[in-house]
Amino acid sequence: MGRAGNGRRVCALGVAGVLAGTVLVGCGDDGDSGDGTRGTSASAGTREEGTRAVRSAYDRTAEEDTAKVKLRVQTSAGGASQTANGQGVVDLDDGDSVMTLTMQGQRIEQRVIDRVLYQKMPNGQAPGGKPWIKIDLGKVAAQQGTGGRSMNDPAQSAAYAKAITDQDVTKKGSATVNGVETTHYRVTVDVADLPGGDALRKQVGPTLPMDVWLDDEGRMRRQQIDMTVKAPEETQRSSSGASSAPEKVTVRTVMDFTDFGTEVEADAPPAGQVTDMTGKALEQGKGQS
């Protein structure tokens, strides 16, 4: 497969692992990222330039083959919030990755290999008496009706560029990200133009807000994805009719890319140490559909 087809997989990297098995997770507000961006006013003349830059960023980043990645996912629902942090290395071509995640004070080892998620749970918490669990992200995505891939899947991210027009990109200014000077663009993605757009619109609305920070070589240095996901009505109330779940979940996912060319060694755990949780994830997906 050519570089152009695989390169844009970098876009949604990391989200698949942290949020695997869920229906299209996403985030909420469209506020500042707190990175010291120095704003500029966008004109019609700069929008076309910005669109070209954002569209080409996926390929230019993937041309580096590999990178270190730092991930932060902040989830809010029902007035409560929690944050997951991760760091590791990723193959920008095929989406394989090796990461360490910290959530609620616990450390989780994670690998994504050939679109299959493996997680080593802390303190023997994995079901089945084995240290690792796995979820086939491709099967879960297919159930979600997004053409066999979810927006959480690195391979899906090529669709972002196709759903961007000159009216969708605004240059916000410059900012320093991990010591690198970057240009910050805010992007509005038309959900209807994404694979499975009709189903996605029911969950996240008509547009998807996204911010990207590109270095002077046009490579992605930071990406922020914000969505608000509506919970299905049947999951919001118990059998007694009382509210049992938040009406919506908001998630902000921020990914930083550094140290391009870093070696990536992603190997699946021995089969005897793994409990397959794909069926459970599919059952949960049916309950939310």
Side-chain angles (χ1 to χ4, degrees):
M1 185 178 296
R3 175 71 66 186
N6 285 331
R8 300 184 183 122
R9 297 182 180 188
V10 64
C11 179
L13 190 63
V15 185
V18 175
L19 303 170
T22 64
V23 174
L24 184 64
V25 280
C27 333
D29 69 62
D30 193 31
D32 291 335
S33 63
D35 63 358
T37 296
R38 298 176 288 280
T40 63
S41 58
S43 66
T46 61
R47 288 182 185 275
E48 183 177 352
E49 176 185 351
T51 302
R52 289 197 301 266
V54 173
R55 281 180 168 171
S56 64
Y58 303 111
D59 288 335
R60 291 190 179 185
T61 306
E63 286 172 359
E64 302 294 341
D65 292 328
T66 62
K68 290 184 179 179
V69 61
K70 184 183 297 182
L71 172 71
R72 184 175 75 254
V73 181
Q74 184 175 3
T75 308
S76 301
S81 65
Q82 65 180 31
T83 300
N85 293 290
Q87 58 183 354
V89 292
V90 59
D91 188 315
L92 301 171
D93 183 20
D94 60 24
D96 289 357
S97 64
V98 177
M99 298 189 70
T100 299
L101 306 173
T102 303
M103 294 182 286
Q104 296 181 319
Q106 295 186 319
R107 183 177 178 272
I108 298 174
E109 184 178 344
Q110 174 179 293
R111 304 173 190 175
V112 177
I113 301 162
D114 295 331
R115 300 184 66 230
V116 176
L117 165 75
Y118 299 89
Q119 285 187 333
K120 186 176 184 180
M121 310 305 289
N123 303 321
Q125 294 180 18
K130 300 177 182 179
W132 291 86
I133 64 170
K134 78 172 185 179
I135 297 175
D136 188 320
L137 301 177
K139 291 181 179 180
V140 173
Q143 183 192 69
Q144 293 173 350
T146 55
R149 298 188 183 277
S150 77
M151 294 305 295
N152 300 343
D153 179 5
Q156 176 62 29
S157 55
Y160 284 114
K162 296 177 182 178
I164 297 171
T165 70
D166 292 348
Q167 299 302 314
D168 298 326
V169 179
T170 303
K171 184 177 179 180
K172 301 299 293 183
S174 59
T176 302
V177 176
N178 298 312
V180 177
E181 284 296 313
T182 67
T183 302
H184 175 195
Y185 295 95
R186 182 156 295 167
V187 183
T188 301
V189 179
D190 188 343
V191 174
D193 289 339
L194 298 174
D198 290 341
L200 297 180
R201 283 173 64 93
K202 295 177 182 179
Q203 294 177 296
V204 303
T207 60
L208 171 66
M210 180 172 69
D211 289 72
V212 296
W213 287 257
L214 310 183
D215 64 17
D216 59 5
E217 295 183 46
R219 301 173 300 187
M220 192 88 68
R221 289 293 183 160
R222 173 172 290 171
Q223 177 174 342
Q224 176 177 298
I225 305 174
D226 287 331
M227 289 183 286
T228 299
V229 181
K230 296 179 181 178
E233 292 184 3
E234 60 269 23
T235 68
Q236 296 176 20
R237 296 190 176 278
S238 66
S239 58
S240 64
S243 177
S244 61
E247 294 183 1
K248 63 181 181 179
V249 177
T250 65
V251 183
R252 165 167 288 182
T253 303
V254 180
M255 291 170 284
D256 288 358
F257 300 93
T258 62
D259 298 281
F260 294 115
T262 297
E263 183 177 358
V264 177
E265 295 183 3
D267 298 315
Q273 299 182 16
V274 179
T275 298
D276 192 340
M277 299 294 292
T278 304
K280 183 67 173 179
L282 292 173
E283 289 178 10
Q284 292 176 343
K286 288 181 180 179
Q288 295 174 348
S289 60

